[in-house]
Amino acid sequence: MNSKYEAVIGLEVHAQLLTDTKIFCGCSAKFGAPPNTNVCPVCLGHPGVLPVMNKKVVEFTVLMGLAAECKINERSIFARKNYFYPDLPKGYQISQYEEPICQYGKITIEFKDGLKKDIGITRIHMEEDAGKSIHDQGYTTMIDVNRCGTPLMEIVSEPDMRSAEEAYLYLTKLKQILTYLGICDGNMEEGSLRCDANISVRLKGETKFGTKTEVKNMNSFRNVEKAIEFEIERQIDIIEEGGKIIQQTLLWDADSNVVKPMRSKEEAHDYRYFPDPDLMPVVVDKKWKSEIASSMPELPDARKERFTNQYLLPKYDAEVLTSSRELADYYEKVLTVTNDYKSASNWIMTDVLKVINDEKISINEFPVSAENLGRLIMLINDNVISGKIAKEIFPEMLKTNKEPNEIVKEKNLVQISDTGEIEMAVDKILSANPKQVEEYLSGKDKVLGFFVGLIMKETKGKANPQIVNELLKSKLGRLKGK
Ligand code: ADP
Ligand code: MG
Ligand code: ZN
């Protein structure tokens, strides 16, 4: 990026709420039902029907508002946003406009080097989703209205971000909080989390904002980052060539990695917002607010902090383990079986996460139960098996989720800690390799590793490595003394 310029970015994020039913009727809000099956006169907007507010939608939005340290307005109202589109049978979308439920909050992002920055939250409001137009069926456009009335929460940030990286970190943090709260699954690919990026650039030192564009249609976190980077460069190029930025809506094209203007007809909106006469104001009194607050789970930053204090984990471990609520839960479940905090962390950060990333599964689908991983760690710590054998048992557990001690028994893998038996193996290896013994005696300490390797092989990896080392050193020491 041209270093004379600075980018200014504000994000509008739509989060689909995980309620069972829609926002103003009893239809199922579940994703993936056959087209046009989850509908009723209310969400289809038939004349004469009345919407009824879903209490859960208010509670979820207030919960997010509290997590983002917003002011929760005691009274907020719904408005009609009027526009015509085939997938909006009512001709208007119920949203909040002038009096939203939450305002003036912040989300803290953290850079790789530990530096933190607050991103202001302008507002969080509730609204209903529209239906879906499906354009890729030949010459016909199909309409699926299942999504009409699905509850959404819109989170609008202040124009506080200064780079694509900051926007990426902000989105990641937002998703983390939403999933910790259990109010949205945060899946951008499936559209349950959608992000519109407002972008402008200005000369460094300038205090006024430049003209912004709005980029839509990014369906992954990486695409948001790429689209913002592209748009920043595009705007700088225009200004450098003496041109002016036109305020417009652009669509990200993930195939060609460019932004393209939306057809201006689609863009020309005059929503004629007005208060919805069918809905009462939403009143969140002190009592309700504190009830909602008391259901607040531990948030990611607090949990990360606790992991470093309570389990004495390095910051990096705590960060990875608390990246999702499910992973943190898994970790703490392992700790119900073993209190070896660091080993549990190591196993999860390497062996468990490797499988999860390779197989593209979630921790909830991971085949080894947390309890069995805890038991495996205990078998090592109790000297029943060596760490090396544990790494051999682990793939077996992945296949079967058998208890590790069962596998140890079946395969006869119990560690040999019987000094007599190990001594025999040591003697055998030493007498079979007189040349290397000579080398050791003449000062080549490195051959020790060679002996250990052979002894472990001799005992099929089952010898307690600590005892092997001790015996080996004392035997060779005695030879040296002669
Ligand atoms: P609009 O009326 O066009 O929807 P808003 O004032 O409601 O604009 O802001 C929408 C989003 O755009 C917010 O997230 C806000 O932070 C951001 N925004 C506003 N002005 C700018 C700007 N000049 N550059 C970048 N982002 C901006
Ligand atoms: Mg706006
Ligand atoms: Zn309905």
Side-chain angles (χ1 to χ4, degrees):
M1 179 172 147
N2 186 322
S3 60
K4 282 193 301 190
Y5 292 90
E6 161 178 86
V8 173
I9 302 153
L11 299 185
E12 294 168 288
V13 173
H14 284 91
Q16 193 174 315
L17 297 174
L18 287 169
T19 54
D20 294 332
T21 54
K22 294 186 180 180
I23 183 168
F24 299 121
C25 64
C27 291
S28 166
K30 221 177 160 141
F31 179 80
N36 302 313
T37 52
N38 289 340
V39 290
C40 75
V42 173
C43 52
L44 288 173
H46 288 191
V49 296
L50 285 174
V52 178
M53 179 71 214
N54 181 341
K55 199 175 161 195
K56 266 260 154 359
V57 174
V58 179
E59 291 176 348
F60 282 5
T61 311
V62 170
L63 206 54
M64 183 62 206
L66 292 171
E69 297 176 41
C70 286
K71 168 174 183 280
I72 310 298
N73 291 325
E74 193 163 323
R75 179 182 181 277
S76 70
I77 59 165
F78 281 105
R80 290 186 181 179
K81 177 177 178 178
N82 301 280
Y83 67 95
F84 172 78
Y85 207 73
D87 60 22
L88 186 77
K90 282 211 295 284
Y92 62 87
Q93 178 192 19
I94 304 177
S95 180
Q96 294 197 297
Y97 187 54
E98 276 172 346
E99 295 177 61
I101 189 161
C102 312
Q103 284 173 294
Y104 319 121
K106 69 176 166 69
I107 298 274
T108 306
I109 58 170
E110 189 173 341
F111 297 92
K112 276 200 200 79
D113 60 10
L115 226 66
K116 290 182 183 176
K117 176 176 174 176
D118 287 342
I119 307 297
I121 299 297
T122 316
R123 56 187 278 149
I124 303 177
H125 69 246
M126 307 173 276
E127 63 183 33
E128 61 177 348
D129 207 346
K132 228 178 190 167
S133 305
I134 301 150
H135 298 296
D136 58 1
Q137 313 278 316
Y139 290 107
T140 327
T141 287
M142 318 275 262
I143 308 284
D144 177 5
V145 288
N146 277 349
R147 216 177 57 183
C148 285
T150 299
L152 297 179
M153 184 169 71
E154 179 171 345
I155 305 161
V156 181
S157 86
E158 288 290 301
D160 284 348
M161 287 158 270
R162 294 290 173 269
S163 66
E165 186 203 3
E166 288 184 15
Y168 180 86
L169 291 172
Y170 168 81
L171 260 189
T172 309
K173 179 43 80 59
L174 214 54
K175 173 179 170 169
Q176 203 188 20
I177 294 172
L178 288 167
T179 51
Y180 262 73
L181 295 176
I183 61 178
C184 171
D185 65 22
N187 192 327
M188 276 196 100
E189 284 79 4
E190 283 179 4
S192 43
L193 194 71
R194 289 168 240 159
C195 170
D196 303 337
N198 297 271
I199 303 158
S200 63
V201 299
R202 62 181 174 188
L203 284 170
K204 275 187 192 155
E206 172 65 70
T207 50
K208 278 203 316 245
F209 289 144
T211 303
K212 73 175 164 78
T213 60
E214 182 171 353
V215 184
K216 291 174 179 283
N217 200 38
M218 293 83 80
N219 65 353
S220 73
F221 284 67
R222 281 295 161 211
N223 276 338
V224 172
E225 203 179 17
K226 275 202 258 177
I228 292 175
E229 267 162 13
F230 180 90
E231 178 57 10
I232 292 171
E233 291 303 326
R234 191 188 70 89
Q235 291 187 13
I236 291 174
D237 288 348
I238 291 174
I239 295 170
E240 282 288 293
E241 283 161 18
K244 266 207 160 81
I245 306 301
I246 312 162
Q247 177 155 357
Q248 61 180 335
T249 304
L250 304 160
L251 296 180
W252 172 246
D253 183 337
D255 294 325
S256 46
N257 283 323
V258 296
V259 298
K260 291 179 175 163
M262 208 177 191
R263 276 177 292 152
S264 56
K265 233 165 125 187
E266 284 176 302
E267 223 202 313
H269 282 315
D270 175 9
Y271 294 126
R272 297 179 297 118
Y273 278 99
F274 65 86
D276 192 309
D278 287 344
L279 284 156
M280 301 281 285
V282 178
V283 176
V284 182
D285 59 16
K286 283 205 177 69
K287 184 165 163 279
W288 194 15
K289 192 172 108 177
S290 69
E291 271 170 25
I292 299 170
S294 68
S295 73
M296 175 80 66
E298 188 179 27
L299 290 171
D301 284 351
R303 200 167 192 183
K304 184 167 85 181
E305 182 80 16
R306 181 169 63 79
F307 274 24
T308 56
N309 295 329
Q310 187 177 349
Y311 306 131
L312 311 170
L313 292 178
K315 230 181 131 196
Y316 177 74
D317 292 43
E319 171 104 34
V320 174
L321 294 174
T322 58
S323 60
S324 82
R325 183 175 171 175
E326 288 77 18
L327 191 65
D329 287 346
Y330 185 90
Y331 175 68
E332 293 206 282
K333 230 176 178 179
V334 175
L335 297 190
T336 61
V337 181
T338 172
N339 56 12
D340 187 344
Y341 311 134
K342 184 59 179 140
S343 287
S345 168
N346 290 347
W347 274 93
I348 291 175
M349 292 208 309
T350 54
D351 306 76
V352 175
L353 285 184
K354 181 173 187 314
V355 175
I356 282 177
N357 293 334
D358 287 355
E359 310 277 321
K360 297 193 171 56
I361 54 172
S362 78
I363 183 73
N364 295 333
E365 299 162 295
F366 185 67
V368 177
S369 69
E371 288 83 357
N372 275 346
L373 180 58
R375 290 186 185 111
L376 183 68
I377 294 168
M378 287 310 283
L379 288 177
I380 307 168
N381 293 0
D382 291 344
N383 280 321
V384 178
I385 55 173
S386 64
K388 189 160 168 282
I389 292 286
K391 296 275 173 186
E392 283 170 31
I393 293 176
F394 188 69
E396 195 66 26
M397 292 168 70
L398 277 173
K399 265 189 256 157
T400 60
N401 192 29
K402 273 192 193 157
E403 288 206 14
N405 36 343
E406 223 175 288
I407 300 172
V408 169
K409 255 189 264 162
E410 264 173 30
K411 306 208 154 189
N412 190 24
L413 295 170
V414 176
Q415 175 163 266
I416 307 169
S417 293
D418 171 6
T419 4
E421 203 172 324
I422 297 175
E423 203 169 348
M424 259 160 55
V426 172
D427 287 342
K428 184 173 168 195
I429 296 303
L430 289 184
S431 57
N433 298 282
K435 201 174 123 236
Q436 282 78 4
V437 172
E438 276 308 315
E439 283 175 18
Y440 179 83
L441 294 179
S442 67
K444 250 179 105 181
D445 288 349
K446 267 203 213 137
V447 279
L448 205 65
F450 166 79
F451 293 133
V452 172
L454 286 178
I455 294 161
M456 292 310 285
K457 209 167 165 191
E458 178 70 21
T459 57
K460 301 197 173 64
K462 291 190 289 183
N464 180 328
Q466 213 178 329
I467 301 180
V468 170
N469 267 299
E470 279 164 19
L471 281 176
L472 195 57
K473 278 190 190 146
S474 81
K475 280 202 181 272
L476 287 166
R478 254 179 278 152
L479 287 175
K480 222 176 202 164
K482 270 185 195 163

